[in-house]
Amino acid sequence: KQEYQNHYSISKEAFLKYAKSMNIDVLNFYLFDSFGAGDKRNKVLDRFIQSALKDQDIVIPKNQVKINLANSNEIIETIMHFNRKGFHGSYLLKSPYTITLEKLANIVINLTDSKSTIKKDLAGACLFSKISSKFDILYREEENFSLECSILEKIKSDYDLQ
């Protein structure tokens, strides 16, 4: 029996089974971590930003944990591009930005000019390395895209910094 993380995963799986039973071609993406201006889900990037803005320690696992970050604008562009091209099936939407939590924390500390320090505590699961490679990877990167600039845009937009 497959375990699901949340209601979204359950409903997505149910829809995919229904579409398959009805012979409906679907373009399905599996995503890693995403972020963008206006995203208020309080995920890892938001937690790092909030801690940095308060000059609080940023706590990360003792072991190296990698995540793959994708900007929401690039996700939308990727989905629209491959949908227009008539793609169907399931794909992994993986950006070129695979980063350790420690490097991400350092970027946030630098961008916010914070006095925060990084504290390593306990061990974390690195689920990124366990993701199945059974799906092809699709991603459409915007020209002149910079992860740091995109994070700074989010900080300025969502946290009223200029």
Side-chain angles (χ1 to χ4, degrees):
K1 181 181 175 186
Q2 189 173 0
E3 293 182 30
Y4 299 97
Q5 291 183 336
N6 54 40
H7 294 293
Y8 169 77
S9 297
I10 293 169
S11 62
K12 181 176 180 177
E13 187 65 26
F15 173 76
L16 291 173
K17 284 181 181 178
Y18 169 77
K20 185 176 181 179
S21 73
M22 300 300 290
N23 293 319
I24 299 170
D25 289 334
V26 175
L27 177 58
N28 175 47
F29 283 100
Y30 292 96
L31 304 174
F32 290 103
D33 291 290
S34 60
F35 73 98
D39 184 346
K40 305 285 187 186
R41 292 177 294 160
N42 202 28
K43 294 185 81 172
V44 67
L45 180 59
D46 290 294
R47 290 177 185 209
F48 285 6
I49 293 169
Q50 291 162 11
S51 292
L53 291 174
K54 295 174 186 173
D55 290 325
Q56 296 174 339
D57 292 338
I58 296 177
V59 181
I60 63 171
K62 288 180 183 178
N63 57 309
Q64 185 181 62
V65 174
K66 291 182 180 180
I67 61 172
N68 184 265
L69 281 174
N71 179 280
S72 57
N73 292 334
E74 287 191 329
I75 292 170
I76 292 165
E77 287 299 319
T78 298
I79 292 169
M80 290 173 53
H81 173 79
F82 289 104
N83 187 50
R84 283 191 302 266
K85 294 237 179 227
F87 277 61
H88 61 274
S90 291
Y91 298 91
L92 196 56
L93 198 150
K94 180 183 171 196
S95 84
Y97 309 106
T98 298
I99 188 171
T100 64
L101 291 180
E102 185 170 13
K103 183 170 182 176
L104 179 62
N106 278 314
I107 289 170
V108 170
I109 288 169
N110 290 333
L111 290 174
T112 57
D113 198 27
S114 176
K115 294 178 180 76
S116 295
T117 58
I118 298 170
K119 299 288 184 192
K120 296 183 178 183
D121 189 27
L122 304 174
C126 189
L127 301 176
F128 177 78
S129 61
K130 297 181 185 212
I131 300 297
S132 171
S133 61
K134 68 180 180 177
F135 301 110
D136 290 333
I137 297 171
L138 293 180
Y139 198 77
R140 185 155 191 247
E141 187 177 4
E142 291 180 14
E143 289 184 34
N144 303 317
F145 179 82
S146 159
L147 181 62
E148 288 83 2
C149 288
S150 189
I151 292 172
L152 184 58
E153 177 186 318
K154 177 175 180 54
I155 292 168
K156 287 179 177 180
S157 169
D158 293 1
Y159 297 93
D160 296 322
L161 293 181
Q162 301 305 321

